[in-house]
Amino acid sequence: MSSLAVLHASELVTLSGPKRPRFGAELSEVGIVRDGGMLVRDGKIQKVGSSDEIKKNLGDAEIVDARGRVVMPGFVDAHTHLVFAGDRLDDFERRARGETYEQISKAGGGIWSTVEKTRAASESDLLAQAKRHANWFLRCGTTTVEAKSGYGLTVEDELKILRVLRQLKKEVPLEIVPTFLGAHAVPRGLSPDEYLDVVVMEMLPRVTAENLAEFCDVFCERGYFDIDQSRKILSAAKKLGLSLRGHVDQLTNSGGAKLMAEIGATTADHLEQTDGQRIAALKKANVQPVLLPGSVYALGSSGYPRAREMIEAGLAVVLATDFNPGSSPTPSMPMVLSLACTQMKMSPAEAITASTLNAAYSLNRGDKIGSLEPGKLANFVMFDCEDYRELAYWFGIPQTHSVYVTGQRIVEL
Ligand SMILES: [Zn+2]
């Protein structure tokens, strides 16, 4: 039995409460214990309370002095594209010079350039780059990520990405939840309907037979997969036992959020263009919105999703990075907290709940992670600040002091 006692945290942010996602005003209740302590045994949280209470039962526990620091659950990033080859630095510079997406695409940029590099990369090259990304997440205080395929767009290349994720999970302490996103874009040389057949008839059966994904996602947007095509893909995935997520209403209010509600998806992601009527549909169907302000920021746009309206409508809002080389090159959840507060008018407490507990529920892991409560995994982070609001306030400066996964301190930060 190995045990650990965290003592004297200036704030222990527990997120304790009912065993379900937080809605509306509940998003503000982060369950702070001042001079807080926590007892960890065999990777799990055994007791949480004041340091005085924790000290009563120390036994042979190793002491971790958290004086002057905030201790909170590791961030749960519920939307990332973690595996890809190369970067999109040239696109970035072209965009900065004012070029449009069409111009960038003509110059050989855009998603297609990442697809070509990812196809050309070997499994071990992709794994090496993915490890680098995984380490970035840990350094930012994230201990669980959802990660999608989607830069392969052939049967073998999509499977390759998902296998890299499976291997990555074995080699890094970051917990990874894999999502199949074969329908990320239509590959050159095929019509959307032809490619849809490949996704449904060839990719999905292989992905589920090899048990390579927990979720299926689709890029539902004009020029990618329309509502009917998205419905076909997600229905097929559901029949095979996968849970559902969707990239919807990012560029146009095309009815994607409504489809997510109809089909019983776990999450509807992006939602930059979603209006009040569709917000009500998400509420009725209990779909969690996953908001991605990093991509709005990095694309130089100001069209952030209506977080306040969603919280007021009673949705269990989630925040995520959308880490990807094209539109959101950040693994930093603190950066996302800053954007949520300054651009979407969420409070720091709401943003913390959305990026920990609510995110954990959106990955079907609300019973294991996302809060510091007895019985949950001891996945937690110590930050070099005394007030949790500082995480959203000081931006562009790393405040991570140390990261623990199942009670083990991650050393290679
Ligand atoms: Zn995405």
Side-chain angles (χ1 to χ4, degrees):
M1 294 252 282
S2 70
S3 54
L4 199 72
V6 178
L7 295 174
H8 303 300
S10 62
E11 290 182 344
L12 189 80
V13 183
T14 65
L15 280 297
S16 66
K19 294 183 191 322
R20 55 166 176 75
R22 303 290 191 266
F23 311 98
E26 294 172 348
L27 276 147
S28 304
E29 296 159 17
V30 290
I32 292 171
V33 182
R34 296 210 158 73
D35 191 26
M38 182 166 72
L39 195 63
V40 171
R41 216 176 277 275
D42 288 337
K44 285 191 176 170
I45 298 167
Q46 199 174 49
K47 200 173 173 196
V48 175
S50 68
S51 289
D52 285 345
E53 284 170 69
I54 300 300
K55 275 183 189 163
K56 284 178 195 159
N57 255 318
L58 282 182
D60 58 351
E62 180 196 330
I63 308 288
V64 176
D65 189 351
R67 224 174 287 260
R69 301 201 170 98
V70 164
V71 176
M72 56 172 270
F75 289 117
V76 177
D77 193 339
H79 184 135
T80 83
H81 304 254
L82 188 146
V83 176
F84 53 84
D87 56 50
R88 297 260 280 280
L89 275 171
D90 292 336
D91 295 17
F92 176 70
E93 189 173 346
R94 281 176 190 279
R95 210 162 46 232
R97 287 203 301 255
E99 289 187 26
T100 64
Y101 187 82
E102 284 70 32
Q103 289 171 317
I104 292 170
S105 194
K106 255 191 198 150
I111 185 173
W112 193 249
S113 66
T114 300
V115 170
E116 282 181 332
K117 285 180 203 149
T118 305
R119 283 179 178 177
S122 69
E123 229 168 285
S124 66
D125 288 345
L126 280 179
L127 181 64
Q129 191 172 346
K131 276 185 175 171
R132 184 166 178 242
H133 300 160
N135 200 43
W136 290 347
F137 281 100
L138 288 164
R139 265 156 56 185
C140 294
T142 297
T143 50
T144 301
V145 296
E146 181 261 17
K148 306 172 196 296
S149 67
Y151 291 116
L153 310 184
T154 66
V155 178
E156 287 314 317
D157 290 306
E158 284 297 304
L159 291 172
K160 175 174 75 177
I161 294 169
L162 292 170
R163 288 188 194 120
V164 167
L165 284 170
R166 184 162 63 187
Q167 189 57 31
L168 183 66
K169 202 172 162 171
K170 291 179 189 157
E171 297 190 19
V172 298
L174 185 68
E175 169 67 4
I176 293 156
V177 181
T179 293
F180 168 62
L181 176 59
H184 193 192
V186 180
R188 286 184 179 161
L190 292 181
S191 72
D193 279 327
E194 284 168 336
Y195 183 57
L196 187 147
D197 281 346
V198 175
V199 172
V200 171
M201 315 291 279
E202 299 179 46
M203 291 181 181
L204 271 171
R206 294 275 301 275
V207 167
T208 48
E210 290 189 39
N211 207 7
L212 285 168
E214 295 181 30
F215 289 90
C216 179
D217 193 339
V218 54
F219 199 85
C220 177
E221 191 66 58
R222 243 168 256 164
Y224 294 82
F225 299 90
D226 67 20
I227 297 289
D228 280 344
Q229 290 160 342
S230 300
R231 185 186 286 114
K232 279 180 190 155
I233 293 165
L234 294 175
S235 308
K238 196 176 179 179
K239 274 195 198 123
L240 290 167
L242 296 179
S243 301
L244 311 178
R245 318 177 87 77
H247 285 67
V248 294
D249 299 350
Q250 180 183 7
L251 310 172
T252 54
N253 185 9
S254 60
K258 197 165 149 249
L259 172 66
M260 294 298 114
E262 257 173 54
I263 203 158
T266 307
T267 67
D269 302 36
H270 276 291
L271 306 174
E272 283 87 334
Q273 310 294 334
T274 304
D275 61 18
Q277 201 188 344
R278 266 81 191 239
I279 290 174
L282 292 176
K283 172 63 189 166
K284 213 170 155 203
N286 245 330
V287 180
Q288 287 192 262
V290 180
L291 308 183
L292 311 164
S295 60
V296 182
Y297 167 79
L299 289 173
S301 163
S302 55
Y304 288 90
R306 305 184 197 181
R308 281 258 59 85
E309 236 177 279
M310 293 180 196
I311 292 170
E312 273 141 37
L315 293 180
V317 171
V318 177
L319 285 168
T321 61
D322 193 15
F323 174 72
N324 77 78
S327 62
S328 193
T330 181
S332 170
M333 202 59 98
M335 178 67 196
V336 168
L337 299 185
S338 167
L339 291 170
C341 295
T342 59
Q343 308 300 307
M344 306 198 303
K345 307 302 173 199
M346 289 173 72
S347 70
E350 289 170 337
I352 295 274
T353 305
S355 55
T356 54
L357 189 74
N358 276 7
Y361 276 101
S362 86
L363 296 177
N364 296 333
R365 279 164 172 72
D367 57 336
K368 291 192 182 71
I369 54 171
S371 64
L372 302 180
E373 294 177 282
K376 286 203 173 178
L377 296 179
N379 294 358
F380 62 94
V381 186
M382 297 212 286
F383 288 105
D384 276 323
C385 55
E386 296 192 10
D387 183 318
Y388 74 93
R389 294 174 299 178
E390 293 180 67
L391 289 172
Y393 171 70
W394 306 111
F395 69 94
I397 178 168
Q399 297 178 75
T400 315
H401 174 270
S402 48
V403 179
Y404 290 77
V405 173
T406 58
Q408 303 288 320
R409 182 170 174 169
I410 308 306
V411 281
E412 263 181 75
L413 286 180

